[in-house]
Amino acid sequence: DAGVTQSPTHLIKTRGQQVTLRCSPKSGHDTVSWYQQALGQGPQFIFQYYEEEERQRGNFPDRFSGHQFPNYSSELNVNALLLGDSALYLCASSHRTGANTEAFFGQGTRLTVV
Amino acid sequence: AQSVTQLDSQVPVFEEAPVELRCNYSSSVSVYLFWYVQYPNQGLQLLLKYLSGSTLVESINGFEAEFNKSQTSFHLRKPSVHISDTAEYFCAVSSVFSGGYNKLIFGAGTRLAVHP
């Protein structure tokens, strides 16, 4: 089992550009969540996808959008990049079974906006 | 809204010494608590979790945490640390929203630095 895989591992973009990050969940998982981890901080919830729909969203602007595909993989898109979007973006997969479900995290994508 | 407070941003300790990383959470009817570890340039790995039952939970590498409902705490402890335990540790609480979906709310993290 490859676990949760994310691509790319590192990315450098210019302010104003758009970026797409990708995530493949752990085998058997149907729910994907995205988190943003700024330097020196804990991860912050962006949104969660289940059955190809966004089920819940954190306090992030509409510049952040996502998608989930029939095979449960997911994309995170960020438009009009700002310097403050520089962070480690983490994908987590799980089963939609309630609060006691365990989330498995990928290695993350390090996004640097210059 | 639920929240998590990690009381120490950095904890320096010598090898083979005991360590405690402190975590407090906001009160809720049902609480599910987690400790994750993050090694440099890596993602998060689950260290241990409290879902129900015994208030003392243990990991395979010697860490343990105790759920204390009256003090709303979930402190992480290890009786003897190794150099390899140097990492960032995050305490998290599971927050359930409508439809039964859940998200993790993380503390700001504690950097454990083990010195020889």
Side-chain angles (χ1 to χ4, degrees), chain B residues 2-94:
Chain B
Q2 291 181 305
S3 64
V4 175
T5 302
Q6 291 185 243
L7 298 165
D8 307 292
S9 60
Q10 296 185 58
V11 174
V13 63
F14 288 108
E15 194 173 18
E16 298 183 4
V19 70
E20 178 181 79
L21 306 184
R22 297 180 292 170
C23 172
N24 286 91
Y25 62 92
S26 62
S27 180
S28 179
V29 176
S30 298
V31 178
Y32 302 95
L33 295 159
F34 305 82
W35 274 100
Y36 282 86
V37 59
Q38 185 175 39
Y39 298 102
N41 301 313
Q42 294 190 25
L44 302 177
Q45 300 175 32
L46 181 67
L47 192 58
L48 45 76
K49 59 187 176 184
Y50 170 77
L51 303 179
S52 64
S54 172
T55 58
L56 185 65
V57 291
E58 299 177 351
S59 72
I60 59 173
N61 56 354
F63 283 94
E64 64 179 30
E66 186 165 15
F67 170 60
N68 188 319
K69 187 174 182 178
S70 62
Q71 297 187 9
T72 61
S73 68
F74 190 54
H75 300 332
L76 181 70
R77 302 183 183 96
K78 190 171 184 179
S80 176
V81 295
H82 303 288
I83 295 288
S84 59
D85 292 325
T86 295
E88 189 87 20
Y89 291 79
F90 293 96
C91 182
V93 63
S94 183

Side-chain angles (χ1 to χ4, degrees), chain A residues 68-90:
Chain A
Q68 185 179 35
F69 299 93
N71 66 352
Y72 308 120
S73 67
S74 176
E75 289 182 349
L76 164 65
N77 300 293
V78 187
N79 294 322
L81 285 166
L82 304 174
L83 295 180
D85 294 331
S86 295
L88 180 67
Y89 288 85
L90 295 165

